[in-house]
């Protein structure tokens, strides 16, 4: 998302960032048709990802590109929601064409629409599967009840849940654990929230480097961001964080989170509701 929204880098830097991720062994790229800045440029990030993959010069058949539909950005900084079956079907087909694929590898419903019955939106995902427009589906910004209902409708075709989860925002713990029990990948969005705060209850705390994440990162000789991603990877075997990046150096640092092993005592400190002194 940072490659296409406000304060985005130029295309050369954006492509270099994607290539750095691929060089580091990253095999999942998460995008959405609503990742853009200005009105009238829907699909900016999908087009960018497709270009970056085409320019890589090496085999990318093992890379899963996941995209999302059901949200919009009018260009004034706001977000809209449209998860009607008709819109989702049009959006998925448009995403497929922008990505230049026969079928979208993973298509995710970006957010439930309060004006549309949940079963209707999920049913549209089933129709996209049956039509061959997408190969697998996921859901995002959902409750535990919505996960259960979607799983009942979609069965094994439902493979992922994408909710906000980070050191600062842990409200989705029930959904994370439910996804693990169902064998669904859990993709925390905005996974680094709270790393630069002394109060991990939200984004309003004073900036500080005196948190358990910073202290333990120092012990390991790594960045707090890398440590935060390592903590997420320890939350459950099905957790796959999706940190954003706009520079090659950032994504390379994130990719090395897989190298960090955290001990039981460290995890207890990091899992405390407040990770300050």
């Amino acid at each position: 998302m940072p490659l296409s929204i406000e304060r985005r880098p130029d295309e050369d830097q954006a492509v270099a960032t994607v290539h750095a991720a691929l060089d580091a062994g990253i095999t999942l790229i998460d995008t959405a048709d609503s990742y853009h800045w200005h009105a009238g440029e829907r699909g900016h990030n999908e087009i960018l990802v497709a270009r970056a993959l085409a320019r890589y010069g090496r085999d990318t058949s093992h890379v899963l590109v996941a995209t999302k539909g059901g949200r919009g950005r009018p260009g004034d900084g706001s977000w809209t929601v449209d998860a009607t079956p008709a819109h989702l079907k049009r959006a998925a087909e448009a995403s497929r064409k922008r990505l230049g694929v026969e079928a979208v590898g993973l298509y995710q419903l970006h957010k439930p629409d309060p004006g549309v019955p949940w079963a209707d939106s999920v049913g549209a995902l089933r129709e996209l599967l049956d039509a061959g427009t997408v190969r697998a589906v996921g859901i995002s910004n959902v409750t535990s009840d919505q996960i259960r209902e979607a799983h009942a409708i979609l069965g094994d075709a439902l493979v992922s849940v994408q909710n906000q989860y980070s050191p600062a925002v842990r409200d989705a713990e029930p959904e994370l654990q439910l996804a693990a029990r169902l064998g669904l990948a859990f993709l925390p969005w905005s996974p680094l929230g709270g790393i630069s705060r002394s109060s991990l209850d939200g984004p309003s705390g004073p900036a500080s480097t005196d948190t358990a994440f910073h202290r333990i990162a120092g012990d390991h000789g790594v960045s707090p961001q890398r440590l935060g991603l390592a903590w997420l990877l320890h939350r459950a075997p099905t957790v796959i964080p999706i940190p954003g990046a706009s520079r090659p150096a950032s994504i390379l640092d994130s990719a090395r989170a897989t190298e960090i092993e955290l001990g039981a005592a460290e995890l207890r400190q990091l899992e405390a509701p407040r990770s300050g002194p």
Side-chain angles (χ1 to χ4, degrees):
M1 186 171 71
L3 301 180
S4 291
I5 62 169
E6 294 84 342
R7 297 181 297 279
R8 63 194 182 201
D10 62 38
E11 184 166 316
D12 286 345
Q13 181 175 322
V15 169
T17 301
V18 175
H19 288 178
L22 298 173
D23 289 342
I26 297 299
T27 57
L28 171 66
I29 298 177
D30 181 82
T31 181
D33 63 3
S34 56
Y35 289 171
H36 62 84
W37 183 352
H38 306 290
E41 59 174 17
R42 178 178 288 273
H44 180 280
N45 198 245
E46 293 173 323
I47 294 169
L48 177 63
V49 167
R51 286 176 179 167
L53 290 172
R55 296 176 188 174
Y56 188 53
R58 278 173 270 172
D59 180 32
T60 58
S61 61
H62 61 293
V63 177
L64 174 62
V65 177
T67 192
K68 297 180 288 293
R71 301 210 74 180
R73 298 197 78 199
D76 59 0
S78 65
W79 294 77
T80 59
V81 181
D82 184 351
T84 59
H87 173 78
L88 291 174
K89 292 173 190 177
R90 289 193 302 269
E93 178 61 20
S95 290
R96 184 192 69 78
K97 291 179 179 177
R98 283 190 289 264
L99 291 170
V101 295
E102 292 184 5
V104 176
L106 173 58
Y107 192 72
Q108 302 166 101
L109 175 56
H110 207 151
K111 186 176 183 178
D113 186 336
V116 179
W118 179 237
D120 290 356
S121 296
V122 175
L125 298 180
R126 166 54 67 187
E127 292 184 40
L128 288 168
L129 286 161
D130 293 342
T133 307
V134 306
R135 291 198 174 96
V137 294
I139 50 179
S140 182
N141 298 299
V142 289
T143 66
S144 293
D145 285 344
Q146 288 167 332
I147 295 172
R148 293 188 186 96
E149 186 174 356
H151 189 256
I153 295 171
L154 296 166
D156 292 342
L158 179 67
V159 301
S160 65
V161 173
Q162 186 175 140
N163 278 16
Q164 185 176 18
Y165 191 92
S166 69
V169 181
R170 308 187 192 186
D171 296 345
E173 182 69 28
E175 289 73 32
L176 184 157
Q177 296 301 331
L178 175 59
R181 291 194 297 273
L182 294 174
L184 305 175
F186 186 88
L187 283 57
W189 63 263
S190 194
L192 296 176
I195 290 295
S196 63
R197 303 290 177 177
S198 60
S199 170
L200 297 182
D201 296 330
S204 60
S208 173
T209 58
D210 188 22
T211 72
F213 285 88
H214 289 83
R215 293 195 298 273
I216 294 173
D219 293 340
H220 284 263
V222 301
S223 70
Q225 290 78 13
R226 194 190 305 182
L227 194 283
L229 295 174
W231 170 72
L232 285 168
L233 290 169
H234 281 74
R235 298 299 298 130
T238 53
V239 171
I240 306 172
I242 48 171
S246 58
R247 299 178 298 117
S250 298
I251 202 64
L252 291 174
D253 185 70
S254 292
R256 296 190 64 187
T258 58
E259 302 171 4
I260 301 174
E261 290 293 332
L262 296 172
E266 292 174 320
L267 288 171
R268 283 194 296 272
Q269 293 180 63
L270 297 172
E271 290 165 10
R274 294 174 63 91
S275 294

